Amino acid sequence: MRIVVDNIKPIMIVSGLITCSMLVAAIAPQFALQQFFGPVLTGDVAEIVVRNWGGLIALVGGLLIYGAGRPEYHRLILSIAIISKSLFIVLVLIFGANFYAQAATALIFDVSVVIVFAIYLLADRKNH
């Protein structure tokens, strides 16, 4: 647990940069869909929803990067990231059985990040 607490700044920066990579969904929604789920959505609504999805995920990544050097925001930002990533994990596990293979990398990354962030929050609670 100490290793996570002592290294939370670089952990937040790296996970934030990786999370920000979902900005690609805001720029190229069909490419992002194909990479994660296969070509399953088309039309104007899909374009709007997927672009919004990518932008919101990138926003969480930006918050992680921003908050890395600001310990006073760690608890809030890490909590937001845990909720966001957990929601994605749960939704894919419940509704996305057809997409497990393509979404595996994102799922493994998000599960790992949720665990690390939870470890930090549990270990750091003594300071608050």
Side-chain angles (χ1 to χ4, degrees):
M1 286 172 82
R2 191 80 237 155
I3 194 166
V4 172
V5 172
D6 292 344
N7 293 290
I8 196 62
K9 183 177 181 177
I11 290 170
M12 288 177 73
I13 291 171
V14 170
S15 63
L17 288 169
I18 293 168
T19 302
C20 278
S21 71
M22 280 307 297
L23 188 58
V24 72
I27 297 165
Q30 292 306 316
F31 172 78
L33 278 175
Q34 188 166 10
Q35 294 302 304
F36 287 100
F37 303 108
V40 294
L41 294 175
T42 58
D44 294 340
V45 173
E47 292 287 320
I48 293 167
V49 170
V50 175
R51 288 176 192 272
N52 184 52
W53 170 62
L56 290 172
I57 293 170
L59 179 63
V60 171
L63 283 171
L64 288 166
I65 295 166
Y66 172 80
R70 294 165 178 83
E72 65 274 20
Y73 296 125
H74 284 180
R75 296 189 73 72
L76 174 63
I77 292 170
L78 294 176
S79 296
I80 290 168
I82 287 171
I83 292 166
S84 173
K85 291 178 177 300
S86 295
L87 182 59
F88 173 73
I89 293 163
V90 169
L91 289 172
V92 172
L93 291 177
I94 291 172
F95 300 108
N98 296 335
F99 310 114
Y100 289 166
Q102 286 178 288
T105 302
L107 287 171
I108 291 167
F109 173 75
D110 281 353
V111 166
S112 301
V113 168
V114 165
I115 291 169
V116 170
F117 290 173
I119 289 170
Y120 174 84
L121 291 176
L122 290 171
D124 193 56
R125 68 182 172 187
K126 297 172 189 168
N127 297 332
H128 290 88

